[in-house]
Amino acid sequence: MTQAPSQSSYDVVIVGGAMFGSSVAWFLTDNPDFDGSILVVERDPTYEFASTSHTNSCMRQQFSAEINVKVSQFAAEYVKNFRTFMGDDPRVPHPRLQSYGYMYLADNDDFAATLRESQRIQAACGAGTKHMTRDEIAAAYPFYNLDDIIAANHNLVDEGYFDGATLFDWWKRAARERGVEYLTNEVIAMNRNAANSRVESVILKSGEVVSCGTVVNASGPRAVLTSRMAGIEIPVEPRKRYTFIFEAENPLDRDLPLTIDPSGVHMRTDGTYYLAGCPPDEDPAVEYDDFVQDHSLWENKVWPVLATRIPQFEAIKLRNSWVGHYAYNTFDQNAILGPHTEVENFIFVNGFSGHGFQQSPAMGRGTAEWITHGTYRSLDLTPFHYDRIEKGAKFVEKAVI
C-alpha cells in the first residue's frame, strides 16, 4: 500500500530508506546548520530483500587506501560511543564491537608484500594491524592448517563484528522523531530543469509530483535504476554473495578471526556457531529479485575449504544460509559519492561493493555535510566522488573482498 507525501516540496528527497538512506537522513537532522525538510521514499518498508537485511555486519581497518582506513576508524568510534552520538538518549543501547579482527592469509610472496605495505599504511593511521609470520600465526591460532601459508595480517583493535542492525534501527527511529518523513512509495521518474542542470521534482508511483532541492540516490543495488531517471549512468549492479551459518562438532577453544582464505572463502566466529561466506565461482550481474541459492556451492567449495584450513571443521553441520546482493561498483569496487558533474543537485551514496555497513557512519555524516555546506567538515571524501568515473580514474583499493 503506497502512501501519499504530506507536502508537495522538500529540501531533500532521499531515494531508498535502508542503511544509507537512513544514515544520511539522521546525520542531516544532527547537523546544527541544516534546518530543511527531508523525505525518504522506500519501496519496501520491510527491507526483506535489501542489502541491509543480508549484511554480515563486519568492520575492518585493513584497507590499503588511507581514507578507507579512516572511514572505518570513525565507524569504530561511532559504534563504541553510539549512545553519546545519539544525544545520550537513555533508550539507545550500547552495541558491542567484537574485536577478534580480520586475518588475511597470504600463500605467495606478492600478496605477502602487499600485506606488509598495507600494514605500514594502517599503522601510520594508528591502526593496530600486525604483520605475522607463519610461526606467529600458529602460536596465536594453532587450529589453522598453515602448510601453504607464508604470512598474514591481523588486527585485534576495533576490528571484527558489530550490531549494524541496531544502528540502522535507531537512525530510522530517531530521524522520524526529528521530523523526517518516511514514505512507503516508489520514485518512478524525475523532472529536470530546462538546462538539465538540476532535478526539479520526482514523480511517485502513486502519481504525486514532489519538488525537491536535493535528490540523494541511496538505492543500493538498484542505484542505476534511480540514476537513469535523471539521465545518469553509473557502474553499479547487483551481484550475489552467499552466507552460511554452521555448527562445529568440535568447537574451537578461542574466537575465530574473520579469516580471508586465499580461496576467497571467509569464515568467522558467530556466537555459538560459525559464519562463512563467498562469491559464486561465476559472478555475473543478476536480476534485482534473484535470490535463488546455488546449494552446490556449500558442498563443492565452502565446506572443503573450511575443512582444509581448519581440520576441526571436518565435522560441521550447516544450520542456515542465505543470498544477499552487493551493490557492486564494476569500475573500481569503491563507493560513489558526491554530486553529479552536470546534474548538480543529484547526490550519490552508491556502489559500496560490500563495505557499506562499516562505512555508513562516515559516509552518512559526510554526505550530510556536503548537502548542508557544499564541502566536507570532517573527513575529506572527495576521492570517492562521481567525477572519477567520468575521468576513468580508478580509486585503487587492494583489499577488496
Side-chain angles (χ1 to χ4, degrees):
M1 179 79 65
T2 58
Q3 299 170 321
S6 64
Q7 303 172 200
S8 61
S9 178
Y10 296 82
D11 294 294
V12 179
V13 173
I14 301 173
V15 185
M19 193 69 169
F20 275 99
S22 291
S23 174
V24 172
W26 184 84
F27 275 102
L28 278 170
T29 69
D30 201 52
N31 190 313
D33 296 320
F34 180 84
D35 61 358
S37 55
I38 304 168
L39 176 69
V40 178
V41 183
E42 172 52 51
R43 60 190 298 275
D44 177 16
T46 71
Y47 303 98
E48 179 182 3
F49 297 109
S51 298
T52 293
S53 301
H54 295 112
T55 181
N56 294 338
S57 287
C58 300
M59 184 186 296
R60 61 184 165 110
Q61 295 180 34
Q62 292 192 60
F63 289 93
S64 66
E66 179 180 321
I67 184 59
N68 271 334
V69 179
K70 291 182 176 179
V71 163
S72 284
Q73 287 178 323
F74 175 66
E77 176 191 353
Y78 192 88
V79 170
K80 291 190 299 183
N81 299 282
F82 185 52
R83 181 180 289 183
T84 300
F85 279 103
M86 297 298 289
D88 290 314
D89 185 338
R91 300 173 300 165
V92 174
H94 296 286
R96 183 183 177 192
L97 174 56
Q98 302 182 57
S99 295
Y100 42 62
Y102 277 56
M103 176 75 76
Y104 278 86
L105 298 175
D107 61 351
N108 62 72
D109 291 334
D110 287 345
F111 189 44
T114 297
L115 289 180
R116 287 191 201 95
E117 176 59 27
S118 295
Q119 188 275 335
R120 285 191 282 268
I121 293 168
Q122 294 153 21
C125 294
T129 311
K130 294 181 179 179
H131 188 72
M132 303 175 74
T133 65
R134 179 164 54 189
D135 288 345
E136 289 171 333
I137 304 167
Y141 300 98
F143 48 73
Y144 288 125
N145 169 15
L146 300 171
D147 288 348
D148 60 333
I149 300 302
I150 61 175
N153 275 7
H154 189 217
N155 176 16
L156 285 170
V157 182
D158 292 344
E159 183 171 278
Y161 165 84
F162 71 107
D163 183 7
T166 293
L167 271 65
F168 170 50
D169 179 59
W170 278 96
W171 280 341
K172 181 158 50 77
R173 183 184 307 188
R176 279 176 164 149
E177 290 177 353
R178 293 176 175 188
V180 174
E181 184 176 345
Y182 274 72
L183 195 66
T184 301
N185 212 313
E186 187 173 355
V187 175
I188 59 169
M190 297 182 185
N191 295 318
R192 288 179 291 172
N193 62 2
N196 286 330
S197 61
R198 295 182 65 83
V199 174
E200 290 186 328
S201 60
V202 302
I203 302 172
L204 301 179
K205 188 175 183 178
S206 51
E208 294 85 358
V209 178
V210 177
S211 299
C212 54
T214 299
V215 174
V216 179
N217 184 353
S219 304
R222 294 174 174 265
V224 72
L225 300 183
T226 298
S227 70
R228 285 172 181 164
M229 298 176 199
I232 300 166
E233 198 70 21
I234 55 173
V236 177
E237 62 188 31
R239 293 199 180 182
K240 288 183 179 180
R241 289 299 180 267
Y242 286 76
T243 299
F244 304 93
I245 304 297
F246 63 94
E247 181 180 6
E249 183 176 315
N250 298 305
L252 306 177
D253 64 354
R254 64 201 76 187
D255 283 336
L256 172 62
L258 199 155
T259 303
I260 314 299
D261 190 81
S263 66
V265 173
H266 62 268
M267 61 200 85
R268 66 164 168 85
T269 291
D270 192 62
T272 59
Y273 294 142
Y274 298 92
L275 178 150
C278 67
D281 290 331
E282 295 183 6
D283 192 23
V286 298
E287 296 297 326
Y288 295 102
D289 59 354
D290 179 3
F291 292 89
V292 176
Q293 295 191 53
D294 176 1
H295 294 287
S296 69
L297 199 62
W298 170 256
E299 293 287 343
N300 297 334
K301 179 178 181 178
V302 178
W303 193 347
V305 169
L306 298 176
T308 299
R309 184 59 60 205
I310 300 176
Q312 279 179 248
F313 285 170
E314 289 182 359
I316 57 178
K317 183 174 184 179
L318 184 62
R319 289 294 186 183
N320 194 14
S321 62
W322 62 84
V323 169
H325 286 175
Y326 268 12
Y328 192 84
N329 174 0
T330 62
F331 181 66
D332 61 13
Q333 292 82 67
N334 277 276
I336 303 171
L337 296 185
H340 188 253
T341 50
E342 296 177 3
V343 188
E344 60 191 28
N345 69 332
F346 190 96
I347 305 295
F348 301 93
V349 194
N350 304 119
F352 288 87
S353 305
H355 307 148
F357 251 48
Q358 64 189 300
Q359 295 193 326
S360 57
M363 302 307 197
R365 178 185 65 175
T367 300
E369 291 171 350
W370 187 270
I371 291 170
T372 304
H373 307 292
T375 188
Y376 295 112
R377 297 286 180 90
S378 48
L379 288 176
D380 179 8
L381 301 177
T382 54
F384 299 106
H385 272 201
Y386 166 84
D387 62 357
R388 80 180 191 278
I389 308 294
E390 287 190 351
K391 296 173 183 175
K394 291 185 178 183
F395 181 110
V396 178
E397 173 54 67
K398 298 175 182 178
V400 173
I401 300 173

